[in-house]
Amino acid sequence: MEKKNVYQLHEQVKCLLFFLLNHFDHRLLYDQPSASVGRTDVASVTPWSAPIIWEGTFDPTLIDSIYKQQNLTIATTAFALGKYTRFVKDFLESAEEHYFVGFRVHYYLFTDQPESVPEVKMGENRSLTVLKVQSLNRWQDISMKRMEKLEKLIENELSSEVYDYIFCLDIDGKFYGRWGAESLGRLVGVIHPWFYNVPRNQFTYERRPESLAYIPAGEGDYYYAGAAFGGTLEDVLHLTKTCSKQLKIDAANSIEALWQEESHLNKYFLLNKPSKLLSPEYMWRSISEGAAQIKIVRFTSVPKNYAEVRPNT
């Protein structure tokens, strides 16, 4: 064989190997999607075409492969005031095991007792910032102040950083299963575990017209949990700014919505539809309690004596 032909053959083989390596190294194998087969025991889309995320409605490998290419960073906030500092360790340790594994996550913990925050080993590209806040005497005041604190955090700190999404979670929760990129969206609400399968006349909306959280009987889509919500920084900033303003107006008018910021959150989501809803898997009642539709418990409130951990209960 002539030297020129050998060289050409060698170059062709190199090109072929380059193609094969690049093609097969990045190939992702997953089950063929179906337009006719899926879960039939739950609704997986809202009337305004927003997806409702349940186990069995997404492929975690495929979802992660799409979002990890975007090199995202997720800010995550929680409040631990008073005796609620006892829940920090379980929250963070379980989050490190299940919450956005493989993604960059920055936790922001608001507390009146920074010295009580335990050391928790963080994974690569994951960090914790502890923010000291004032102690409050009523748990209702703690609840109502959250929107204002979140608004200021986003405006004063996060907006100048490279954050793609933010989730605001209750500290007295624990992760038991995957919470990942399937939850990301422009504006994300979590369907409340006690109201996902009841008619809306049983929802505990604020029913007094004097409050800006007022939702009349016969109106409403879903009842959303105040313990978990999120989205892009821009959208969550608008949410927190709106709810904070309305909470202050209510206070000036000597009215406190039934469930404080959760009531205002539900009013906000009624007027500003979430782009994605998370099923009660993402905020379940208890790890020991089951339901036919709940195939996996991802995040749940931990058992506690409210009269013991909450002030003025």
Side-chain angles (χ1 to χ4, degrees):
M1 183 178 294
E2 294 182 5
K3 186 175 181 180
K4 182 178 180 181
N5 290 339
V6 171
Y7 175 79
Q8 289 176 337
L9 179 62
H10 177 67
E11 290 300 304
Q12 289 172 353
V13 170
K14 279 172 61 179
C15 289
L16 178 61
L17 286 172
F18 179 83
F19 170 79
L20 291 173
L21 284 170
N22 278 275
H23 177 70
F24 287 106
D25 276 0
H26 295 83
R27 184 178 59 174
L28 184 67
L29 299 178
Y30 53 90
D31 293 338
Q32 178 185 345
S34 173
S36 59
V37 177
R39 287 192 63 168
T40 57
D41 59 330
V42 293
S44 59
V45 66
T46 70
W48 59 92
S49 295
I52 305 175
I53 307 301
W54 297 85
E55 177 70 6
T57 63
F58 65 93
D59 185 314
T61 303
L62 178 57
I63 286 284
D64 281 351
S65 72
I66 294 169
Y67 281 94
K68 282 184 177 178
Q69 296 177 45
Q70 300 177 34
N71 205 24
L72 303 173
T73 301
I74 297 96
T76 303
T77 67
F79 287 73
L81 276 72
K83 295 180 180 179
Y84 273 71
T85 55
R86 69 181 61 175
F87 303 116
V88 172
K89 186 175 177 62
D90 269 357
F91 176 90
L92 289 174
E93 286 184 344
S94 64
E96 284 301 286
E97 185 177 354
H98 298 291
Y99 180 74
F100 284 106
V101 175
F103 289 84
R104 290 201 305 271
V105 173
H106 193 145
Y107 304 99
Y108 288 87
L109 179 67
F110 294 85
T111 181
D112 56 347
Q113 303 170 57
E115 69 282 355
S116 299
V117 176
E119 283 214 22
V120 174
K121 184 179 179 182
M122 297 286 166
E124 185 179 1
N125 296 318
R126 300 169 77 91
S127 56
L128 169 67
T129 295
V130 177
L131 302 169
K132 184 173 174 57
V133 293
Q134 180 184 359
S135 300
L136 295 167
N137 294 325
R138 298 172 67 245
W139 68 266
Q140 295 93 337
D141 292 334
I142 296 171
S143 174
M144 289 191 292
K145 281 287 184 182
R146 288 204 312 171
M147 290 297 184
E148 180 183 351
K149 296 294 184 187
L150 292 170
E151 175 194 350
K152 298 307 179 188
L153 175 69
I154 296 172
E155 279 190 327
N156 299 336
E157 288 196 41
L158 303 192
S159 295
S160 61
E161 302 290 338
V162 186
Y163 290 105
D164 301 282
Y165 296 93
I166 181 171
F167 276 95
C168 310
L169 307 176
D170 271 8
I171 196 66
D172 58 336
K174 185 174 180 178
F175 295 88
Y176 288 92
R178 170 198 166 92
W179 181 318
E182 73 282 353
S183 66
L184 296 175
R186 181 183 57 78
L187 185 61
V188 181
V190 181
I191 300 174
H192 200 289
W194 290 104
F195 298 106
Y196 73 98
N197 58 351
V198 301
R200 63 185 173 191
N201 63 359
Q202 295 182 31
F203 293 171
T204 54
Y205 289 149
E206 174 55 59
R207 300 299 191 185
R208 292 169 295 173
E210 296 81 9
S211 171
L212 291 177
Y214 170 61
I215 298 177
E219 295 186 22
D221 301 316
Y222 304 90
Y223 192 87
Y224 299 95
F229 59 90
T232 64
L233 255 63
E234 180 182 0
D235 280 272
V236 176
L237 175 59
H238 189 268
L239 181 159
T240 56
K241 188 184 290 287
T242 302
C243 290
S244 177
K245 180 181 178 181
Q246 294 184 345
L247 281 157
K248 290 174 182 176
I249 293 173
D250 269 9
N253 292 325
S254 301
I255 188 166
E256 183 177 289
L258 180 62
W259 292 109
Q260 297 82 43
E261 95 279 17
E262 184 174 87
S263 297
H264 287 272
L265 177 75
N266 272 275
K267 178 63 174 286
Y268 185 88
F269 279 153
L270 176 61
L271 301 178
N272 305 268
K273 308 295 189 194
S275 63
K276 180 176 286 185
L277 279 68
L278 305 183
S279 71
E281 298 167 358
Y282 292 81
M283 188 61 250
W284 190 236
R285 305 167 186 171
S286 166
I287 189 61
S288 61
E289 187 174 345
Q293 300 93 336
I294 304 300
K295 308 301 182 186
I296 180 174
V297 173
R298 304 181 189 277
F299 185 60
T300 180
S301 180
V302 298
K304 68 190 76 65
N305 179 352
Y306 284 107
E308 193 266 327
V309 298
R310 282 180 171 176
N312 76 288
T313 300

